[in-house]
Amino acid sequence: ASPVVRWGFPNWKSPFGCGRKSCGGIAGADSECDRSDVLDEFYCEEDDCFDSGYDGSDDEAILWNSYLPRGGTAAGVALSRLNLSGLRNGWLERRTGPNRNRRKGRLSTKVSEKVQQLEIIQQKKMRQFRKAFRGKQRQFQSSLYNLNSRLNPSFPKPPYSLWRMDDEQAIGKTTLTGKIFLLNIAMFGLQAMYPRITALGAKRSDLIMEGRQLYRLLTPVFLHGGIGHLMANSYSLKSMGINVERAFGQPRLLATYLVSGIMGNIVSAIQSPNPAVGASGAIFGLVGAYYTFLSRNGDLFGYSGQMQKSALIETIGINLVMGMTNPIIDNWGHAGGFIGGVGMAYLIGPKLYVARVPLGDDNLMAR
């Protein structure tokens, strides 16, 4: 085998008769070898690198005429004039392409592993923080109880939570009351398009008392008998639902609304054989729940609470009188819903206390 140089022209043999090996690896050791270093040189077999029938005279002239001293901008100009794109791009593609992809893969794997480790560390720190916070919270509530129980023997034991009224927001946007309001309107639209829905969902006392189709205890809460019925209940829901939602919060409002509606249908099924639909029983439950809330916390609301209770009593009285004078109004459903709302307010409604916060010498711990 003889040393050859592969560059932009295929099947071309070096005119210098030597490769890097003959120069001993020292730049400038031989003038001819130093010139050949303009190209990237390597040794290979003749059969693999060139065709012995090609003399390469034209290529040699191009190489000698385009020769510039090695290095810097001159070497770049020489290579660009020789149009050695095959040499440069092909060599880089063969020598660096697969390695670059492997390096990228290894780097991506390392980054993923590092991110997972950081996430695990962050989760561990968060668990430790929550555990420490719960410990501090229990310690504070114990101190709170020790102090206030000495001042007020009826002060309840922990756990406690701060109570605040939720901000009033637009109907139909984010409030649960608005969502129920829109749901009632949508269901009335379905009733208008498919009248059979009313027959399938109305309260049927005979079926309920026989223990069949018990879903009819809930479905009448979302159905109405006409546009006037829907408008009256929607107005009452807007007026009362917002107050209960702000005082109770959304989860307790939903539980009170549904339980009151079911309780109203149970009492109506027992006392009245007539079919019925409407959300009035659930709305009466909200009235009863809010009245109970004001009564249990009357010492905190004072005169304002008394005025609100008076307005609620007037509303209840007017509706009862209307139910007595109109045979199509189901007063038993109203009464049952009111009872259900009162019970839910006692079970899950907020009971408020004014607590003295332990500070300094007041920080009395359990002994």
Side-chain angles (χ1 to χ4, degrees):
S2 60
V4 297
V5 178
R6 175 173 291 179
W7 60 302
F9 297 98
N11 303 325
W12 176 81
K13 184 176 180 180
S14 171
F16 308 126
C18 62
R20 184 169 296 170
K21 183 175 181 181
S22 62
C23 299
I26 302 175
D30 188 340
S31 60
E32 291 184 351
C33 294
D34 188 45
R35 293 173 184 174
S36 67
D37 282 346
V38 175
L39 306 178
D40 287 329
E41 303 136 344
F42 64 100
Y43 287 90
C44 65
E45 298 293 336
E46 289 182 357
D47 295 339
D48 296 333
C49 298
F50 66 94
D51 184 1
S52 58
Y54 180 73
D55 58 1
S57 58
D58 296 335
D59 297 337
E60 294 174 9
I62 295 175
L63 177 63
W64 282 103
N65 292 333
S66 302
Y67 170 74
L68 287 174
R70 179 177 182 177
T73 306
V77 173
L79 291 174
S80 63
R81 290 181 179 177
L82 288 173
N83 190 18
L84 302 181
S85 57
L87 170 66
R88 179 173 302 181
N89 297 338
W91 185 83
L92 290 175
E93 183 177 355
R94 290 194 303 271
R95 298 294 295 275
T96 65
N99 294 334
R100 183 179 304 173
N101 294 335
R102 286 194 292 269
R103 286 196 298 271
K104 287 183 179 179
R106 289 194 296 268
L107 179 60
S108 177
T109 303
K110 291 181 180 179
V111 170
S112 300
E113 293 175 354
K114 190 66 175 179
V115 170
Q116 292 178 358
Q117 292 176 359
L118 292 176
E119 290 178 352
I120 293 173
I121 294 173
Q122 185 177 8
Q123 292 175 0
K124 184 178 179 180
K125 290 183 178 180
M126 184 59 66
R127 286 193 296 268
Q128 294 175 350
F129 171 78
R130 290 175 179 173
K131 184 178 180 180
F133 178 78
R134 285 193 295 267
K136 292 292 184 180
Q137 190 177 35
R138 287 192 295 268
Q139 182 180 0
F140 173 75
Q141 292 190 0
S142 177
S143 176
L144 194 70
Y145 172 74
N146 292 332
L147 173 62
N148 288 275
S149 61
R150 296 178 60 180
L151 304 175
N152 181 11
S154 62
F155 194 81
K157 293 183 178 181
Y160 312 117
S161 60
L162 293 176
W163 179 84
R164 67 180 183 87
M165 297 187 71
D166 294 336
D167 297 333
E168 186 173 357
Q169 298 177 358
I171 281 287
K173 294 290 182 65
T174 56
T175 62
L176 180 60
T177 303
K179 294 175 183 178
I180 297 174
F181 173 83
L182 295 177
L183 178 60
N184 289 338
I185 294 176
M187 289 302 301
F188 184 75
L190 292 176
Q191 287 179 255
M193 292 187 292
Y194 306 101
R196 183 171 173 77
I197 292 178
T198 305
L200 292 175
K203 184 216 74 172
R204 287 278 303 275
S205 300
D206 54 340
L207 297 176
I208 292 173
M209 296 305 295
E210 292 174 2
R212 297 184 294 145
Q213 299 183 9
L214 296 180
Y215 66 88
R216 292 178 183 270
L217 292 174
L218 179 62
T219 52
V221 176
F222 304 100
L223 304 177
H224 291 84
I227 187 66
H229 189 203
L230 174 66
M231 292 177 63
N233 282 344
S234 297
Y235 175 79
S236 301
L237 175 64
K238 175 184 177 299
S239 301
M240 186 52 56
I242 288 294
N243 293 329
V244 178
E245 183 172 353
R246 294 179 64 197
F248 282 54
Q250 292 188 357
R252 288 186 284 192
L253 166 67
L254 181 60
T256 302
Y257 186 84
L258 296 178
V259 171
S260 299
I262 293 173
M263 190 66 184
N265 287 322
I266 290 175
V267 174
S268 177
I270 295 172
Q271 298 294 331
S272 174
N274 301 322
V277 293
S280 53
I283 296 172
F284 262 82
L286 298 182
V287 174
Y290 195 63
Y291 183 87
T292 305
F293 168 74
L294 294 175
S295 300
R296 296 180 69 195
N297 304 287
D299 54 339
L300 299 179
F301 292 104
Y303 179 75
S304 174
Q306 294 179 2
M307 294 297 295
Q308 292 185 68
K309 288 167 60 179
S310 299
L312 291 176
I313 292 174
E314 292 178 2
T315 302
I316 294 170
I318 292 173
N319 281 273
L320 289 176
V321 171
M322 292 176 61
M324 293 177 182
T325 58
N326 192 339
I328 66 173
I329 295 178
D330 187 4
N331 260 346
W332 291 111
H334 296 172
F338 185 86
I339 295 171
V342 171
M344 290 297 291
Y346 271 105
L347 290 176
I348 64 173
K351 180 66 175 76
L352 308 181
Y353 294 88
V354 176
R356 181 177 178 180
V357 178
L359 297 173
D361 296 336
D362 291 337
N363 190 9
L364 305 177
M365 302 301 297
R367 297 179 180 178

